[in-house]
Amino acid sequence: MIDLLFELSKKGSNKFSMPELDVPEVSVSAKRGTELDLPELPEVEVMRHYTALSRLVHGVEDGPYPLGSCTMKYNPKLNEVTASLDGFTGIHPLQPADTIKGCTEVLKLTHSALCGVLGMDAVSFQPAAGAHGEMTSLLVMHKYLQSIGQTQRTKIIVPDSSHGTNPASAVAAGFEVVTIPSYSNGMVDMDALKAAVGDDTAAMMLTNPNTLGIFDKQIAEMAKVVHAAGGLMYYDGANLNAIMGWARPGDMGFDIVHVNLHKTFSTPHGGGGPGSGPIACKKFLQAYLPYTELDYRQGVDAEKSIGKVKAFHGNFAVIVKALTYILALGAEGLKDASGKAVLNANYLFKQIASLYGEQYRHCMHEFVVSASKAGDDYGVHALDIAKAMLDEGIHPPTIYFPLIVKEAMMFEPTETESKESIDSLAKTMASIFSVAASNPDALHAAPLKAYIGRPDEVKAAKDMKVTAKF
Ligand SMILES: *Cc1c(COP(=O)(O)O)cnc(C)c1O
């Protein structure tokens, strides 16, 4: 166990010197009533503490991180340089507009870049993450439908291959979810869609590529069916990494979309953010977007707008990082990045599919394989394989998701892994499978090298202890 800073604290050990006061001294603790109990340590001990903590986890800077659906690509350090410039960090959004022109320019440039990449007309940067963007978009659609007198439209159609946040957001926004099945090739069952649409359809939410890593070829037809029934089309664009520069949701018939800047547009994420999940829509929905005071975006209607979902422009530093990434790569570079993301996923899939007993299938930026053959043959499950990967210095793929595949393992290598790195990852997977055949118990015991072995995951999620007693 690593002790907490509070446990390591030794009174009087944090020696420091401050410049002499040139203002009257005010005692903060006098106002608090009680002394503030902060840990006291020398700077070097604080650094050792955090460095030790950083070694307990696996990051993309330690090794491959093929966590499907999360796009754990390498994030260029240049992003950090620009996001920490004084002109961005030392200002406040309530400053007079002519003193924050640089920030306004960042918003304008990112706004037009995102509209260009998505084929949309307007963007709101307020949502703090992907699921928040979904929720915000649903509120926008709800307000729009109300304003045109379509209050009976209470249902959201969600294919069973969608990301789990889609139905959750729809329920949170007060809609009813209608789940429709997929064909065995992973695409939406069109007959089920046609049977599901009607007067009560508010929208269809489509995750594309879906959670199987498949680009649904029937999108134009789906849009026609939903629009003909009077519903709207929502695109879950969290995984824009697969299509940016090649295809645009706006051209495919979608009315509104969210993107995850912290996936596709390279911001470090995991462990709780900060993220940014801007939404973009067609002109007819623009007036309903979250309202912000700084009118860099024409056409905001304070009466029609759903109001704020976060302060000002959301997580501004993440927008600076995204813009840095966009400008550094340029239009061709973005297209190349998604091209390589798809190539890498297909390359890895082709190398490891036979381990899983799967036939070759073309995928987009990620793919799903089932570990059920290893289960039947050796009693080794997706969880065992994932834990064994940790011992090899590789972050496991997403497991047991999507729910429609038994023993699912969802790999997303991303474009920032080299050919050599993917070859080595494939070799490691082959050696784990050979251990599965020769000594399955070794995999049941994995991980041996990780700081935490096999926690009770349900308890860890539902009975979280986030405070300590001193
Ligand atoms: C990650 C993801 C989300 C949710 O994004 P968060 O930022 O984690 O809220 C939604 N949809 C898809 C397809 C995703 O991959």
mmCIF file of all heavy atoms in Angstrom, residues 138 154-160 162 164-180 203 205:
data_model
loop_
_atom_site.group_PDB
_atom_site.id
_atom_site.type_symbol
_atom_site.label_atom_id
_atom_site.label_comp_id
_atom_site.label_asym_id
_atom_site.label_seq_id
_atom_site.Cartn_x
_atom_site.Cartn_y
_atom_site.Cartn_z
ATOM 1 N N LEU A 138 -30.276 15.723 -26.901
ATOM 2 C CA LEU A 138 -31.642 15.239 -26.706
ATOM 3 C C LEU A 138 -32.542 16.365 -26.205
ATOM 4 O O LEU A 138 -33.694 16.490 -26.624
ATOM 5 C CB LEU A 138 -31.634 14.057 -25.729
ATOM 6 C CG LEU A 138 -31.121 12.749 -26.352
ATOM 7 C CD1 LEU A 138 -30.543 11.822 -25.296
ATOM 8 C CD2 LEU A 138 -32.250 12.038 -27.107
ATOM 9 N N THR A 154 -42.241 10.997 -28.219
ATOM 10 C CA THR A 154 -41.600 10.721 -26.932
ATOM 11 C C THR A 154 -40.620 9.555 -27.002
ATOM 12 O O THR A 154 -40.053 9.166 -25.982
ATOM 13 C CB THR A 154 -42.683 10.356 -25.888
ATOM 14 O OG1 THR A 154 -43.463 9.276 -26.431
ATOM 15 C CG2 THR A 154 -43.586 11.534 -25.585
ATOM 16 N N LYS A 155 -40.455 8.978 -28.201
ATOM 17 C CA LYS A 155 -39.641 7.758 -28.273
ATOM 18 C C LYS A 155 -38.337 7.964 -29.057
ATOM 19 O O LYS A 155 -38.323 8.632 -30.087
ATOM 20 C CB LYS A 155 -40.449 6.623 -28.910
ATOM 21 C CG LYS A 155 -41.594 6.212 -28.001
ATOM 22 C CD LYS A 155 -42.288 4.968 -28.453
ATOM 23 C CE LYS A 155 -43.342 4.582 -27.413
ATOM 24 N NZ LYS A 155 -44.438 3.815 -27.996
ATOM 25 N N ILE A 156 -37.287 7.354 -28.532
ATOM 26 C CA ILE A 156 -35.985 7.393 -29.196
ATOM 27 C C ILE A 156 -35.645 5.965 -29.626
ATOM 28 O O ILE A 156 -35.643 5.049 -28.803
ATOM 29 C CB ILE A 156 -34.885 7.902 -28.239
ATOM 30 C CG1 ILE A 156 -35.204 9.315 -27.732
ATOM 31 C CG2 ILE A 156 -33.511 7.852 -28.909
ATOM 32 C CD1 ILE A 156 -34.964 10.435 -28.698
ATOM 33 N N ILE A 157 -35.352 5.809 -30.908
ATOM 34 C CA ILE A 157 -34.999 4.479 -31.434
ATOM 35 C C ILE A 157 -33.488 4.290 -31.323
ATOM 36 O O ILE A 157 -32.716 5.142 -31.771
ATOM 37 C CB ILE A 157 -35.455 4.342 -32.897
ATOM 38 C CG1 ILE A 157 -36.975 4.474 -32.958
ATOM 39 C CG2 ILE A 157 -34.976 3.018 -33.490
ATOM 40 C CD1 ILE A 157 -37.536 4.556 -34.356
ATOM 41 N N VAL A 158 -33.098 3.193 -30.681
ATOM 42 C CA VAL A 158 -31.675 2.922 -30.459
ATOM 43 C C VAL A 158 -31.368 1.486 -30.878
ATOM 44 O O VAL A 158 -31.918 0.544 -30.303
ATOM 45 C CB VAL A 158 -31.323 3.106 -28.959
ATOM 46 C CG1 VAL A 158 -29.840 2.883 -28.736
ATOM 47 C CG2 VAL A 158 -31.717 4.492 -28.464
ATOM 48 N N PRO A 159 -30.490 1.274 -31.856
ATOM 49 C CA PRO A 159 -30.113 -0.092 -32.217
ATOM 50 C C PRO A 159 -29.363 -0.783 -31.072
ATOM 51 O O PRO A 159 -28.726 -0.111 -30.258
ATOM 52 C CB PRO A 159 -29.173 0.088 -33.418
ATOM 53 C CG PRO A 159 -29.417 1.475 -33.906
ATOM 54 C CD PRO A 159 -29.848 2.271 -32.721
ATOM 55 N N ASP A 160 -29.437 -2.120 -31.036
ATOM 56 C CA ASP A 160 -28.765 -2.834 -29.928
ATOM 57 C C ASP A 160 -27.239 -2.807 -30.057
ATOM 58 O O ASP A 160 -26.536 -3.241 -29.157
ATOM 59 C CB ASP A 160 -29.291 -4.276 -29.808
ATOM 60 C CG ASP A 160 -29.033 -5.114 -31.043
ATOM 61 O OD1 ASP A 160 -28.376 -4.621 -31.984
ATOM 62 O OD2 ASP A 160 -29.495 -6.279 -31.075
ATOM 63 N N SER A 162 -25.622 -0.001 -30.305
ATOM 64 C CA SER A 162 -25.216 1.364 -29.961
ATOM 65 C C SER A 162 -24.386 1.372 -28.684
ATOM 66 O O SER A 162 -24.388 0.416 -27.912
ATOM 67 C CB SER A 162 -26.448 2.237 -29.762
ATOM 68 O OG SER A 162 -27.080 1.877 -28.556
ATOM 69 N N GLY A 164 -23.538 2.180 -24.906
ATOM 70 C CA GLY A 164 -24.445 2.105 -23.764
ATOM 71 C C GLY A 164 -24.962 3.441 -23.275
ATOM 72 O O GLY A 164 -26.046 3.535 -22.693
ATOM 73 N N THR A 165 -24.199 4.496 -23.541
ATOM 74 C CA THR A 165 -24.656 5.813 -23.074
ATOM 75 C C THR A 165 -25.885 6.282 -23.848
ATOM 76 O O THR A 165 -26.640 7.114 -23.341
ATOM 77 C CB THR A 165 -23.547 6.874 -23.226
ATOM 78 O OG1 THR A 165 -23.033 6.805 -24.558
ATOM 79 C CG2 THR A 165 -22.428 6.661 -22.226
ATOM 80 N N ASN A 166 -26.094 5.783 -25.077
ATOM 81 C CA ASN A 166 -27.208 6.287 -25.893
ATOM 82 C C ASN A 166 -28.568 6.060 -25.226
ATOM 83 O O ASN A 166 -29.302 7.032 -24.979
ATOM 84 C CB ASN A 166 -27.189 5.696 -27.308
ATOM 85 C CG ASN A 166 -25.992 6.132 -28.157
ATOM 86 O OD1 ASN A 166 -25.875 5.770 -29.309
ATOM 87 N ND2 ASN A 166 -25.073 6.906 -27.585
ATOM 88 N N PRO A 167 -28.910 4.795 -24.923
ATOM 89 C CA PRO A 167 -30.203 4.597 -24.246
ATOM 90 C C PRO A 167 -30.234 5.261 -22.866
ATOM 91 O O PRO A 167 -31.284 5.787 -22.457
ATOM 92 C CB PRO A 167 -30.321 3.071 -24.122
ATOM 93 C CG PRO A 167 -28.968 2.520 -24.393
ATOM 94 C CD PRO A 167 -28.252 3.516 -25.247
ATOM 95 N N ALA A 168 -29.102 5.284 -22.169
ATOM 96 C CA ALA A 168 -29.076 5.900 -20.835
ATOM 97 C C ALA A 168 -29.385 7.399 -20.939
ATOM 98 O O ALA A 168 -30.181 7.948 -20.160
ATOM 99 C CB ALA A 168 -27.723 5.667 -20.175
ATOM 100 N N SER A 169 -28.774 8.079 -21.914
ATOM 101 C CA SER A 169 -29.015 9.519 -22.079
ATOM 102 C C SER A 169 -30.467 9.780 -22.458
ATOM 103 O O SER A 169 -31.082 10.748 -21.991
ATOM 104 C CB SER A 169 -28.110 10.100 -23.176
ATOM 105 O OG SER A 169 -26.763 9.923 -22.855
ATOM 106 N N ALA A 170 -31.004 8.907 -23.324
ATOM 107 C CA ALA A 170 -32.387 9.114 -23.764
ATOM 108 C C ALA A 170 -33.341 9.046 -22.573
ATOM 109 O O ALA A 170 -34.252 9.868 -22.439
ATOM 110 C CB ALA A 170 -32.754 8.072 -24.819
ATOM 111 N N VAL A 171 -33.102 8.079 -21.692
ATOM 112 C CA VAL A 171 -33.952 7.956 -20.504
ATOM 113 C C VAL A 171 -33.745 9.159 -19.581
ATOM 114 O O VAL A 171 -34.706 9.756 -19.087
ATOM 115 C CB VAL A 171 -33.651 6.628 -19.754
ATOM 116 C CG1 VAL A 171 -34.352 6.609 -18.395
ATOM 117 C CG2 VAL A 171 -34.100 5.432 -20.595
ATOM 118 N N ALA A 172 -32.477 9.555 -19.414
ATOM 119 C CA ALA A 172 -32.188 10.698 -18.534
ATOM 120 C C ALA A 172 -32.858 11.967 -19.046
ATOM 121 O O ALA A 172 -33.250 12.836 -18.266
ATOM 122 C CB ALA A 172 -30.675 10.889 -18.417
ATOM 123 N N ALA A 173 -33.001 12.080 -20.381
ATOM 124 C CA ALA A 173 -33.621 13.279 -20.949
ATOM 125 C C ALA A 173 -35.142 13.174 -20.982
ATOM 126 O O ALA A 173 -35.823 14.057 -21.494
ATOM 127 C CB ALA A 173 -33.077 13.519 -22.358
ATOM 128 N N GLY A 174 -35.680 12.079 -20.440
ATOM 129 C CA GLY A 174 -37.129 11.963 -20.313
ATOM 130 C C GLY A 174 -37.808 11.246 -21.469
ATOM 131 O O GLY A 174 -39.029 11.239 -21.562
ATOM 132 N N PHE A 175 -37.040 10.651 -22.369
ATOM 133 C CA PHE A 175 -37.632 9.913 -23.489
ATOM 134 C C PHE A 175 -37.804 8.436 -23.131
ATOM 135 O O PHE A 175 -37.233 7.948 -22.155
ATOM 136 C CB PHE A 175 -36.735 10.014 -24.728
ATOM 137 C CG PHE A 175 -36.727 11.369 -25.373
ATOM 138 C CD1 PHE A 175 -35.664 12.255 -25.153
ATOM 139 C CD2 PHE A 175 -37.759 11.770 -26.210
ATOM 140 C CE1 PHE A 175 -35.643 13.504 -25.758
ATOM 141 C CE2 PHE A 175 -37.740 13.025 -26.815
ATOM 142 C CZ PHE A 175 -36.677 13.891 -26.584
ATOM 143 N N GLU A 176 -38.542 7.764 -23.989
ATOM 144 C CA GLU A 176 -38.706 6.317 -23.854
ATOM 145 C C GLU A 176 -37.822 5.670 -24.923
ATOM 146 O O GLU A 176 -37.757 6.168 -26.053
ATOM 147 C CB GLU A 176 -40.175 6.006 -24.133
ATOM 148 C CG GLU A 176 -40.723 4.815 -23.421
ATOM 149 C CD GLU A 176 -42.190 4.663 -23.773
ATOM 150 O OE1 GLU A 176 -42.967 5.635 -23.545
ATOM 151 O OE2 GLU A 176 -42.539 3.606 -24.319
ATOM 152 N N VAL A 177 -37.146 4.581 -24.581
ATOM 153 C CA VAL A 177 -36.227 3.950 -25.528
ATOM 154 C C VAL A 177 -36.889 2.778 -26.241
ATOM 155 O O VAL A 177 -37.536 1.947 -25.618
ATOM 156 C CB VAL A 177 -34.958 3.451 -24.792
ATOM 157 C CG1 VAL A 177 -34.072 2.642 -25.729
ATOM 158 C CG2 VAL A 177 -34.183 4.640 -24.232
ATOM 159 N N VAL A 178 -36.757 2.749 -27.565
ATOM 160 C CA VAL A 178 -37.206 1.594 -28.343
ATOM 161 C C VAL A 178 -35.950 0.952 -28.930
ATOM 162 O O VAL A 178 -35.263 1.553 -29.752
ATOM 163 C CB VAL A 178 -38.140 2.026 -29.498
ATOM 164 C CG1 VAL A 178 -38.597 0.810 -30.294
ATOM 165 C CG2 VAL A 178 -39.314 2.814 -28.958
ATOM 166 N N THR A 179 -35.610 -0.244 -28.460
ATOM 167 C CA THR A 179 -34.394 -0.909 -28.938
ATOM 168 C C THR A 179 -34.740 -1.753 -30.172
ATOM 169 O O THR A 179 -35.729 -2.487 -30.165
ATOM 170 C CB THR A 179 -33.829 -1.830 -27.848
ATOM 171 O OG1 THR A 179 -33.668 -1.054 -26.661
ATOM 172 C CG2 THR A 179 -32.461 -2.384 -28.261
ATOM 173 N N ILE A 180 -33.921 -1.614 -31.214
ATOM 174 C CA ILE A 180 -34.144 -2.462 -32.393
ATOM 175 C C ILE A 180 -32.922 -3.356 -32.611
ATOM 176 O O ILE A 180 -31.797 -2.957 -32.310
ATOM 177 C CB ILE A 180 -34.472 -1.635 -33.667
ATOM 178 C CG1 ILE A 180 -33.407 -0.558 -33.915
ATOM 179 C CG2 ILE A 180 -35.843 -1.007 -33.556
ATOM 180 C CD1 ILE A 180 -33.547 0.087 -35.271
ATOM 181 N N ALA A 203 -36.582 10.660 -32.371
ATOM 182 C CA ALA A 203 -35.318 10.580 -33.102
ATOM 183 C C ALA A 203 -34.797 9.163 -33.092
ATOM 184 O O ALA A 203 -35.227 8.322 -32.299
ATOM 185 C CB ALA A 203 -34.283 11.510 -32.469
ATOM 186 N N MET A 205 -31.065 7.387 -32.593
ATOM 187 C CA MET A 205 -29.670 7.644 -32.205
ATOM 188 C C MET A 205 -28.819 6.533 -32.793
ATOM 189 O O MET A 205 -29.028 5.361 -32.479
ATOM 190 C CB MET A 205 -29.505 7.621 -30.685
ATOM 191 C CG MET A 205 -30.157 8.772 -29.970
ATOM 192 S SD MET A 205 -29.912 8.633 -28.167
ATOM 193 C CE MET A 205 -28.381 9.561 -27.957
#
